[in-house]
Amino acid sequence: VDCPGAADCDVLSVDQLAPVPRTTVCTAIYGGPAVARVKGTLRGEPVDAQFSLEDGCEIARWERNRELLGAPQM
């Protein structure tokens, strides 16, 4: 995983990139068609994460990782 800045990498964790658990109740808010994928290794841990804006949980997840993902492109 390449980060745009060294400080951004310091705050990233594999748990932060993990998908929203399937049992989580999320608001039915559609944030747009943007999608992103992060694949590689982070501190020796494999990462293969997909991001979208399909509901409130995914929007919040994108925002938590905005330093890595950037603003959604619509």
Side-chain angles (χ1 to χ4, degrees):
V1 176
D2 292 323
C3 298
D8 299 331
C9 283
D10 290 343
V11 299
L12 285 178
S13 70
V14 173
D15 290 339
Q16 184 176 332
L17 299 172
V20 175
R22 292 181 189 260
T23 58
T24 303
V25 177
C26 302
T27 57
I29 299 171
Y30 180 67
V35 294
R37 184 172 185 190
V38 177
K39 187 174 182 176
T41 58
L42 179 63
R43 292 183 202 86
E45 300 267 347
V47 173
D48 189 358
Q50 295 186 43
F51 295 83
S52 72
L53 303 172
E54 67 187 35
D55 60 34
C57 293
E58 290 296 333
I59 293 168
R61 182 172 169 244
W62 188 300
E63 289 301 317
R64 279 194 306 275
N65 292 286
R66 191 180 187 107
E67 291 297 321
L68 176 64
L69 301 174
Q73 300 294 312
M74 310 268 187

